[in-house]
Amino acid sequence: MSSAPDKSATSPSLAQAHASRGAALVLLGISLMLIAFNLRPVFSSLSVLLPEIIRHTGLSSANAGYLTTLPVLCLGLFAPLAPGLAQRYGMERTLLGMLVLLAAGTALRGQGSISGLFIGSALAGAGIAVGNVLLPALVKRDFAGHTAGMMGLYTMALCGGAAAAAAFTLPLAHAMGDSWTAALAVWALPAAVVALVWAPQSLGSRGTRPRAPARRVRGLTRDPLAWQVTLFMGLQSALAYCVMGWLAPILRDRGLSGVTAGLVVSVSILIQVVVSLLVPPLAVRCKDQRLFNAALSAIAGLALLGLLFAPLSMVWMWAVIQGVGQGGLFAAALTVIVLRSPDSHVAAHLSGMAQSVGYVLAAIGPLLVGLLHGWTGSYSATSWLFIALSIGSGVNGWFAGRNRHVRIAAAAPKPTAP
């Protein structure tokens, strides 16, 4: 004679399973935010120490421009490799390798030689490129019901890491005997710690689970709207990396102390955190995003001119305004990628195009700042660069903000022969 299921036995086990899954998702979410925190200190930590590095190594302004450009260039060059690596090794294990590479490259920059600075920056940039691509993909895969909230936290963590490095790198250098090498290398420690936290999660079965065959998207590079989205992403990124790479040296050249200049950059980046959370919900409620994108480009460019020429008594005001413009641009560029795509598969490919091509284009910004300073001996000439980048961003943002989709469709992969 059969008996009814013992609910008293199954219910607790079911509850325990739900609690276990919830705890695992919380740990995963915290881990992803910690990884994101480590994706930007490489840029802003170098910026605040650039005058000391130039003084102690004899690096010219032009070569300093190459140094600030190198990791940004690597973002574009190595981003296309991330999907293939994730397909072969799993996203979790690929991210673990990225953290190890990032920690090693950051530590190498503190070795003290010019070659160590360049090689370490390239290694760190390559690791960050992989993280830029895979972290949003993990958020979409494992937090499908909370994508907007997790992407907001992801953006906050990115900006938080950049702001922390801008604010604390120079005080750390002073605390460690005015050692710029130690202050650069110290940012390898959080990356190494997060790698240890991430390792148990990446080496389990989750890290190698198979993925569904990718749907093919062809002809994206022949679509004008896709290029307008890509150029909008690239030109606004060029402005952002000019800020992260050169704003602190510009302010120090104008007479601010190193610590104060770092704090100004940090405040500007922290403002970006708040604005980047507010812009997407506002942008999607508009019929299109043309005025939104153009206005934010104008605000970011105008604020950089204010930081370059306005009285130093107004520097904090212009830093806040620049944070509003730049944070809004970053969020708007990510938003139009989604809005201009007819489905998630096209969105993934459009995002890859915008990041790979866009970051290669973005590398031109900090490079030209260094070259212009080397040629003229002044940062005043960079005003024309900031104007050109903001106009280019505004024009492409206007066209990318039109209410239409790229004319590309994702096709199912051809079945393989048995």
Side-chain angles (χ1 to χ4, degrees), residues 4 29 37 39 60 62 109 112 138 157 173 188-189 201 230 245 256 269 284 330 337 350 352 362 367 377 382:
F37 180 89
L39 298 185
S60 66
R109 296 202 311 172
L138 264 178
L189 292 177
Q201 301 174 73
T230 296
L256 290 184
I269 295 172
V284 297
F330 178 60
I337 290 174
L350 182 57
L367 172 62
T382 60

Side-chain angles (χ1 to χ4, degrees), residues 10-106:
T10 58
S11 296
S13 62
L14 193 60
Q16 289 174 359
H18 282 302
S20 177
R21 173 167 171 74
L25 280 177
V26 170
L27 177 60
L28 175 63
I30 293 172
S31 299
L32 295 183
M33 297 309 104
L34 291 174
I35 294 173
F37 180 89
N38 283 277
L39 298 185
R40 291 298 179 268
V42 162
F43 304 100
S44 50
S45 61
L46 179 72
S47 169
V48 296
L49 290 171
L50 208 51
E52 283 78 12
I53 293 171
I54 292 173
R55 186 166 60 249
H56 286 93
T57 63
L59 207 63
S60 66
S61 292
N63 285 332
Y66 295 132
L67 180 61
T68 58
T69 296
L70 183 59
V72 184
L73 181 62
C74 288
L75 298 185
L77 295 179
F78 289 94
L81 301 180
L85 291 171
Q87 181 75 49
R88 181 168 184 177
Y89 301 107
M91 281 195 282
E92 288 87 351
R93 293 189 179 188
T94 303
L95 280 173
L96 177 61
M98 177 276 292
L99 284 168
V100 173
L101 189 63
L102 174 58
T106 305

Side-chain angles (χ1 to χ4, degrees), residues 16-409:
Q16 289 174 359
H18 282 302
S20 177
R21 173 167 171 74
L25 280 177
V26 170
L27 177 60
L28 175 63
I30 293 172
S31 299
L32 295 183
M33 297 309 104
L34 291 174
I35 294 173
F37 180 89
N38 283 277
L39 298 185
R40 291 298 179 268
V42 162
F43 304 100
S44 50
S45 61
L46 179 72
S47 169
V48 296
L49 290 171
L50 208 51
E52 283 78 12
I53 293 171
I54 292 173
R55 186 166 60 249
H56 286 93
T57 63
L59 207 63
S60 66
S61 292
N63 285 332
Y66 295 132
L67 180 61
T68 58
T69 296
L70 183 59
V72 184
L73 181 62
C74 288
L75 298 185
L77 295 179
F78 289 94
L81 301 180
L85 291 171
Q87 181 75 49
R88 181 168 184 177
Y89 301 107
M91 281 195 282
E92 288 87 351
R93 293 189 179 188
T94 303
L95 280 173
L96 177 61
M98 177 276 292
L99 284 168
V100 173
L101 189 63
L102 174 58
T106 305
L108 184 59
R109 296 202 311 172
Q111 185 257 348
S113 67
I114 293 178
S115 60
L117 283 168
F118 278 89
I119 295 172
S121 294
L123 292 175
I128 293 167
V130 174
N132 280 345
V133 174
L134 296 188
L135 277 179
L138 264 178
V139 168
K140 188 168 186 179
R141 189 192 74 186
D142 293 331
F143 297 91
H146 307 280
T147 302
M150 286 299 296
M151 287 304 294
L153 292 173
Y154 168 72
T155 305
M156 289 180 63
L158 281 176
C159 295
F168 299 124
T169 299
L170 202 55
L172 284 170
H174 294 331
M176 293 184 286
D178 290 326
S179 173
W180 65 267
T181 56
L184 278 183
V186 76
W187 292 103
L189 292 177
V193 170
V194 175
L196 293 175
V197 173
W198 183 247
Q201 301 174 73
S202 67
L203 298 178
S205 58
R206 288 169 50 84
T208 55
R209 66 186 185 185
R211 300 190 327 178
R215 298 177 69 184
R216 294 177 293 115
V217 174
R218 293 180 177 177
L220 198 60
T221 56
R222 296 192 297 271
D223 186 83
L225 180 56
W227 279 106
Q228 289 152 5
V229 171
T230 296
L231 290 173
F232 179 42
M233 169 64 83
L235 291 170
Q236 70 83 23
S237 295
L239 278 174
Y241 286 105
C242 285
V243 171
M244 276 196 280
W246 285 98
L247 182 55
I250 287 172
L251 294 176
R252 294 181 69 176
D253 185 71
R254 293 198 62 199
L256 290 184
S257 70
V259 172
T260 303
L263 287 174
V264 171
V265 176
S266 181
V267 165
S268 182
I269 295 172
L270 285 173
I271 295 297
Q272 294 181 31
V273 175
V274 179
V275 177
S276 63
L277 291 175
L278 298 177
V279 163
L282 294 175
V284 297
R285 292 183 181 181
C286 299
K287 186 175 75 171
D288 60 48
Q289 294 74 43
R290 290 178 296 176
L291 284 173
F292 223 90
N293 298 343
L296 288 168
S297 298
I299 291 171
L302 179 64
L304 277 175
L305 295 180
L307 289 165
L308 198 58
F309 296 117
L312 287 177
S313 59
M314 302 175 66
V315 70
W316 295 102
M317 181 193 77
W318 286 114
V320 170
I321 295 174
Q322 209 287 323
V324 170
Q326 199 66 61
L329 276 178
F330 178 60
L334 293 178
T335 302
V336 297
I337 290 174
V338 176
L339 295 179
R340 302 291 82 87
S341 302
D343 58 54
S344 61
H345 301 284
V346 174
H349 284 77
L350 182 57
S351 177
M353 176 178 171
Q355 286 203 50
S356 58
V357 178
Y359 279 128
V360 170
L361 178 62
I364 297 173
L367 172 62
L368 287 178
V369 174
L371 291 176
L372 287 170
H373 183 259
W375 292 334
T376 65
S378 167
Y379 287 111
S380 298
T382 60
S383 60
W384 296 105
L385 172 64
F386 298 152
I387 291 170
L389 290 175
S390 60
I391 291 175
S393 173
V395 169
N396 284 283
W398 178 274
F399 287 110
R402 293 174 295 171
N403 187 13
R404 59 184 64 183
H405 289 150
V406 293
R407 296 179 180 178
I408 300 295

